[in-house]
Amino acid sequence: MIEKLVTCKRCGSNACSEISDDKIVIWVCLGCGFTTNTFMNLDNTPKSEDVMPNLYKDLKFTDDTGLNWYPNSVTLDNKSMVFADGTSVDDWKWAAVKSIEITDEEKEKFPNSTHRADMSTIQYFEEKDFMEALSYVGYFNKK
C-alpha cells in the first residue's frame, strides 16, 4: 500500500491523501472533506448511490477524469462522527458529534458498545472547515 499527498481534483487543496495498491486508488481530501476511488466512475456510481443519503448524491462532484466525489463520513472508533448535514446543496454544513460512555441503563440498547454519539454535543462547521470538524471530535489527537 502506498500513501502520498496530492492536489485534490475537487478543491485544489494540497491536503488530499492518495492511497493505492494494485487494485484500487482512494482519495480522501482533508481540505474539502470529499472522497472518491477508482470505482466511483459513471459505470459504478448508480450502485453506490443506492445506499447514500440524498444530500450526498446532490453534493456529488464529477472531476475531469469522470470520478465522482462525495462528502466523507468519518466515524472515529465507532464513537464520534463527522458527516454532511443539511436540507439541500445550498443549505448544508459539516456536523461533528462527540461520544460519551454508555451508562449501565443504556447497555441493553447498545450491545457490544462502550460509547455512543451524544447528539447534545453536535457542532456545525462551514463547508471549508472539514479539518476543524475533525479536530472537534479528536481525530488528530495522538493515542
Side-chain angles (χ1 to χ4, degrees), residues 30-105:
L30 295 182
C32 65
F34 279 61
T35 185
T36 192
N37 65 59
T38 48
F39 296 113
M40 291 298 233
N41 56 38
L42 295 175
D43 293 334
N44 294 316
T45 295
K47 296 173 208 149
S48 303
E49 286 187 351
D50 286 347
V51 296
M52 284 183 194
N54 287 335
L55 179 62
Y56 280 51
K57 291 184 256 188
D58 294 343
L59 290 170
K60 173 176 63 177
F61 169 79
T62 304
D63 69 24
D64 59 358
T65 67
L67 293 178
N68 294 310
W69 293 70
Y70 297 92
N72 199 356
S73 292
V74 176
T75 303
L76 188 59
D77 295 330
N78 294 319
K79 301 172 190 171
S80 303
M81 301 179 293
V82 175
F83 55 95
D85 189 29
T87 57
S88 71
V89 172
D90 298 320
D91 183 26
W92 74 277
K93 294 183 182 207
W94 293 110
V97 179
K98 292 183 177 182
S99 64
I100 58 172
E101 282 191 51
I102 294 173
T103 64
D104 288 335
E105 296 80 31

Side-chain angles (χ1 to χ4, degrees), residues 25 56 136:
V25 181
Y56 280 51
Y136 174 73

Side-chain angles (χ1 to χ4, degrees), residues 104-119:
D104 288 335
E105 296 80 31
E106 295 173 314
K107 285 185 179 181
E108 193 172 298
K109 281 200 265 183
F110 302 97
N112 305 317
S113 296
T114 58
H115 291 75
R116 67 169 177 81
D118 179 7
M119 295 309 285

Side-chain angles (χ1 to χ4, degrees), residues 12-29:
S13 163
N14 63 355
C16 187
S17 180
E18 179 183 280
I19 305 153
S20 62
D21 65 17
D22 58 345
K23 296 178 182 159
I24 190 170
V25 181
I26 302 166
W27 294 269
V28 179
C29 184

Side-chain angles (χ1 to χ4, degrees), residues 117-130:
D118 179 7
M119 295 309 285
S120 72
T121 66
I122 196 165
Q123 293 285 321
Y124 291 96
F125 298 85
E126 297 299 323
E127 178 181 350
K128 295 183 181 198
D129 294 333
F130 183 69

